[in-house]
Amino acid sequence: MKAVFGKTPLELMQGDITQQETEAIVNAANSGLLGGGGVDGAIHRAGGPEIARECAEIRHRQGGCPPGQAVMTTGGKLKARYVIHTVGPIWNGGDEGGDEILRSAYLSSLRLAKARGIRFLAFPSISTGAYGFPVERAAKIALQAIKDFLTTEAPRGEFDKINFVLFSERDFETYKKALQGLV
Ligand code: ADP
């Protein structure tokens, strides 16, 4: 499913983000940038040790990445040239702080991509795996954040395309419904 926000197409698809041929992919990382399970583990496995090496440098330089912020490494052996590592909130029952951190994780990733001149990037569903954020709620926050960014902070076609890659069919359907509610 596709939508256009500002001048930028957003496409939802089901698949494995490590196989994306975008310029950058976003990783749902943890604050220590230490790698882990889920999409984080898959990205480090597919990209090889170069990503962890650069994550260690960032950790030594600035102590990791707080929730809601984003940092960037190269993509190692991935088809994507860069990985933007962002940290979502751990679900704690639905306080607004968690919603804000999730929104901020998307916005920080997009701002970093824009600042580095990246024009084509792919997102996974941040915080909805090990971090336990309900997918329906996360989908609304994620897509609203991307829409807001593309219409207000990148309205002149600064990006060629944004892909949103959902791992399961169920998540894909949930995000589709959320996008239909937004366009
Ligand atoms: P978090 O700790 O932020 O919850 P997870 O990696 O546990 O991150 O889960 C985030 C989402 O990433 C989940 O919906 C999970 O199904 C999905 N996911 C796991 N592996 C991949 C992959 N290779 N490509 C895209 N999404 C993936």
Side-chain angles (χ1 to χ4, degrees), residues 15-18 27-29 37-43 88-89 124-133 135 165-168 171:
D16 178 349
I17 200 166
T18 65
N27 180 21
V39 72
D40 196 6
I43 288 171
S125 177
I126 295 161
S127 282
T128 62
Y131 280 5
F133 213 96
V135 180
V165 185
L166 288 318
F167 204 44
S168 71
D171 289 353

Side-chain angles (χ1 to χ4, degrees), residues 103 107 110-111 114 145 147-156 158-159:
R103 176 178 168 83
L107 292 176
L110 288 160
R111 286 176 186 143
K114 183 184 165 191
K147 177 183 180 179
D148 291 347
F149 178 84
L150 291 175
T151 51
T152 64
E153 294 186 46
R156 285 178 290 276
E158 287 87 342
F159 288 86

Side-chain angles (χ1 to χ4, degrees), residues 112-177:
L112 183 55
K114 183 184 165 191
R116 303 292 178 93
I118 289 165
R119 302 189 57 87
F120 185 11
L121 91 157
F123 280 100
S125 177
I126 295 161
S127 282
T128 62
Y131 280 5
F133 213 96
V135 180
E136 211 169 287
R137 182 161 171 153
K140 285 186 190 143
I141 293 167
L143 298 172
Q144 184 72 53
I146 294 172
K147 177 183 180 179
D148 291 347
F149 178 84
L150 291 175
T151 51
T152 64
E153 294 186 46
R156 285 178 290 276
E158 287 87 342
F159 288 86
D160 294 326
K161 196 174 176 217
I162 309 283
N163 287 349
F164 212 115
V165 185
L166 288 318
F167 204 44
S168 71
E169 189 176 351
R170 192 147 168 259
D171 289 353
F172 177 59
E173 292 302 326
T174 303
Y175 271 76
K176 246 179 15 190
K177 242 186 234 149

